[in-house]
Amino acid sequence: MILIISDTKDGHTWAKALVETGNATEWEDCNAPFLGQGDKRVKEALIYLVNEGVMVHKYDYVWIMRLLNERYKKKDDLFFESIQSYRDYVATYMQIDGIASISTLSKYYSAGEGTFPDWTFTDTKDATERLRRINVAQRFLAFFIKGK
């Protein structure tokens, strides 16, 4: 029989105790960091966007950073002081692969102007690409707020 215990600090304690007392034969630790509710929602939304093919380019993660920074404006943990802190959040803390390098993210972040959803971009005049980028943020926001 396989017993699934929630991935929380208490869950890890229970799993270790079951193995130590002989009530379980093994315990697999995923070594993932403990994520708070907001972080779990961010991760679920990012994974959803990747699986749905919304994240076309590795730099598309930067539109999520821009959106979060506009919405949270230093009021919350979802405001990022730098591209480095955001990339660390997604790649290391969230353990999501496929995000662009810091230099690439910086290049695209600085190309954005205005406030969501009226963003414009200095690196492209293509209206379809502008709408695609806005749609990445819009889809993230919809999933983050409402879920699937």
Side-chain angles (χ1 to χ4, degrees), residues 51-126:
N51 290 342
E52 293 296 310
V54 175
M55 304 294 262
V56 176
H57 304 287
K58 291 183 176 190
Y59 62 78
D60 283 337
Y61 289 92
V62 82
W63 315 131
I64 309 305
M65 177 187 172
R66 179 173 283 285
L67 174 71
L68 291 172
N69 278 0
E70 280 184 32
R71 290 187 60 93
Y72 290 96
K73 300 182 187 207
K74 300 187 183 187
K75 294 183 248 178
D76 196 313
D77 291 338
L78 295 177
F79 179 88
F80 300 92
E81 296 287 339
S82 67
I83 298 289
Q84 174 75 54
S85 67
Y86 175 70
R87 190 178 190 290
D88 288 346
Y89 177 76
V90 173
T92 305
Y93 186 63
M94 294 290 168
Q95 298 183 333
I96 294 177
D97 296 328
I99 187 170
S101 67
I102 293 167
S103 61
T104 300
L105 293 173
S106 294
K107 172 186 164 187
Y108 284 95
Y109 190 90
S110 63
E113 297 176 341
T115 56
F116 178 81
D118 299 318
W119 288 339
T120 57
F121 303 95
T122 59
D123 67 319
T124 184
K125 299 292 182 203
D126 183 358

Side-chain angles (χ1 to χ4, degrees), residues 6-9 33-47 78 89 93-94 96 140 143-144:
S6 64
D7 187 21
T8 64
K9 188 173 183 176
F34 300 115
L35 301 178
Q37 269 311 102
D39 295 329
K40 284 181 183 178
R41 288 173 48 211
V42 169
K43 184 173 183 173
E44 288 171 1
L46 291 174
I47 290 170
L78 295 177
Y89 177 76
Y93 186 63
M94 294 290 168
I96 294 177
F140 171 84
F143 186 84
F144 180 74

